[in-house]
Amino acid sequence: MEALELARWQFGLTAGLHFLFVSLTLGMAPIIAYMQTRHLFTGREVFDRLTRYWGQVYVINYALGVITGIVMEFQFGVSWSGLAHYAGDLFGAPLALETISAFFLESTFLGVWIFGWGILPRWLHLASFYVVTATAYLSAFWIMSANGFMQNPVGFRPREDGTLELTDFAAVLANEGALPALGHVSAASLGVGGFFVAGASAWHFLRGTAERELFRRSLRTGVVVGWLGVWVAVVSGFPQLAFTQGQPGKSAALGGDGDALARLQAELTEQVGYAVSVPPVWLSAPFLVMQSIGYLMWVIGTIAIVLFYRGWLERNRTMLYTLLFVVPLPYVAVFCGWIIREMGRQPWLIHGEVTVNQGVTDASTGSMLFSLIAFVTVFGVLAVVDVVLIWGAVRRGPDRAFLGENEAGERIAAGAVGDTGDRDVVIPLSDAVPSEQRASHSGTEPGLRSQSAGKE
């Protein structure tokens, strides 16, 4: 492979893997906000425990996702310095705003939320997570604005030296290549987060959990959120197909039209003066996979919702196994979507303005191969660590959640509904764990419901 192909593989793999972290973060944030809101207004302990349990999964995934994001940004300087040269004014502005107005706020308020149990009033503690959720989606907006400009450049004028000058920032933000895609990506992320929560809850039912009421609520919440997310993603995907008509290469590749791609390659090669690589004809395969997964997950979600009736879902082992084993499918669909979006833009780095040949850093094949191996290795290690830590948190159950505990491992109570901040109230872990749950850990009476469920 030449340096250009290695650089493209590097960006494709790192961006795709990074977004798998991001999709779970975007998908789980509204679920946790909903659970904590229910706790604030009902005072039921089950919602507090759900918030802590799923919140720790969110924190683990967020922390690893931040690291992958930082690593990924290094490659812009390493492999794609031409992007900054030709379009730094336009591409850099949304990324800078994402860092300043979204990422810093999100990280700060997440820290407030993590360490605010028993210190902040309950309404203020909840408000901090609403800020986390809002800024997560604000971050996605800025990223999609930058990516949307690469797909559909607007709000600029070319200078004599070939670089691009920003003339209308509002046009960049309202870009039809960004806003519809943001809605599609956000909905797909809800599918990822919802079915992840549902699948993990199903696993606990299959294991004969004593926390039936707690996992019944998270199972149903996950199914509903995942089903709605997939449905909106499918519906919002059709306008994306209409948008591809402005990108002949992507449109031809999705249709598997090899002849049209060959003609386009000849035309573009003549236009730019050197050989270019148009979208591959096999791009129709991930497109078919993405669509099929969307329809399949919608059907599975619909059946699961029907089984809510009289608690059939929690007793139907076939459906529980189905929800468990389909957890990876929304991830696959999201990854396929990014392959289509980015590979379909080729040979343009910025569609119609800057080719990938112009944007790639002038580096040797050996150095580019080294950076590819280094980046992919780091991302692979982080992905494995993320899976191991999340699986450990899911498997241990809600009574070993670290959120809201003091240094002695005691759970900090949230206080009464409407309080102004009962502070530093702690519950010993032995009292926080329902007696039936402790019995199940010791091997006796594993099928009993928890006290928190019985109180309701």
Side-chain angles (χ1 to χ4, degrees), residues 207-443:
R207 297 279 294 179
T209 180
E211 297 276 9
R212 297 188 63 84
E213 178 63 13
L214 184 145
F215 284 111
R216 181 182 72 85
R217 292 186 179 277
S218 65
L219 174 64
R220 296 187 173 202
T221 299
V223 166
V224 171
V225 171
W227 178 82
L228 286 173
V230 168
W231 183 80
V232 174
V234 169
V235 173
S236 62
F238 291 105
Q240 298 296 301
L241 288 177
F243 176 74
T244 63
Q245 299 305 312
Q247 297 178 323
K250 182 182 292 184
S251 181
L254 294 182
D257 191 342
D259 293 337
L261 289 172
R263 290 193 299 270
L264 179 64
Q265 182 169 18
E267 293 171 3
L268 290 176
T269 298
E270 182 178 355
Q271 175 185 336
V272 301
Y274 48 82
V276 297
S277 298
V278 295
V281 69
W282 55 256
L283 212 58
S284 58
F287 178 62
L288 178 60
V289 170
M290 180 184 66
Q291 281 191 312
S292 300
I293 289 175
Y295 296 134
L296 175 63
M297 298 306 295
W298 187 86
V299 171
I300 291 173
T302 300
I303 296 173
I305 290 173
V306 171
L307 292 176
F308 284 0
Y309 182 68
R310 293 189 175 182
W312 289 343
L313 178 59
E314 295 81 30
R315 300 193 299 270
N316 190 312
R317 294 183 67 84
T318 299
M319 181 53 67
L320 291 175
Y321 273 114
T322 300
L323 290 172
L324 173 61
F325 287 116
V326 300
V327 167
L329 293 186
Y331 282 103
V332 174
V334 166
F335 193 78
C336 287
W338 274 106
I339 291 175
I340 294 166
R341 185 170 177 85
E342 299 307 303
M343 289 292 290
R345 190 182 64 245
Q346 304 301 317
W348 302 105
L349 190 62
I350 299 175
H351 192 264
E353 300 295 332
V354 180
T355 66
V356 292
N357 301 65
Q358 294 174 297
V360 71
T361 299
D362 184 12
S364 67
T365 301
S367 61
M368 196 65 73
L369 177 61
F370 174 79
S371 66
L372 169 63
I373 294 172
F375 278 117
V376 172
T377 300
V378 171
F379 267 70
V381 171
L382 292 174
V384 170
V385 171
D386 188 54
V387 171
V388 170
L389 292 179
I390 288 178
W391 169 239
V394 169
R395 180 177 54 83
R396 285 191 295 269
D399 293 313
R400 296 183 65 184
F402 57 77
L403 283 178
E405 289 187 354
N406 61 15
E407 294 180 357
E410 298 170 321
R411 184 159 61 88
I412 302 172
V417 176
D419 69 355
T420 57
D422 285 349
R423 302 169 188 271
D424 300 325
V425 180
V426 299
I427 300 176
L429 188 58
S430 59
D431 295 334
V433 180
S435 59
E436 291 86 352
Q437 179 70 3
R438 296 199 301 275
S440 69
H441 290 316
S442 63

Side-chain angles (χ1 to χ4, degrees), residues 61-146:
N61 186 74
Y62 179 87
L64 272 297
V66 167
I67 298 173
T68 62
I70 294 172
V71 173
M72 190 188 74
E73 297 224 359
F74 278 112
Q75 73 167 307
F76 287 117
V78 171
S79 306
W80 299 101
S81 56
L83 180 60
H85 171 72
Y86 285 101
D89 291 352
L90 295 107
F91 188 77
L95 293 184
L97 287 170
E98 187 269 337
T99 301
I100 296 171
S101 67
F103 175 70
F104 284 164
L105 279 175
E106 184 181 3
S107 302
T108 299
F109 279 90
L110 182 60
V112 170
W113 185 72
I114 292 172
F115 300 105
W117 256 287
I119 299 175
L120 297 175
R122 283 173 54 185
W123 66 268
L124 189 57
H125 187 240
L126 172 61
S128 67
F129 197 79
Y130 270 94
V131 175
V132 170
T133 303
T135 50
Y137 282 87
L138 178 61
S139 179
F141 166 74
W142 291 121
I143 295 298
M144 292 306 297
S145 296

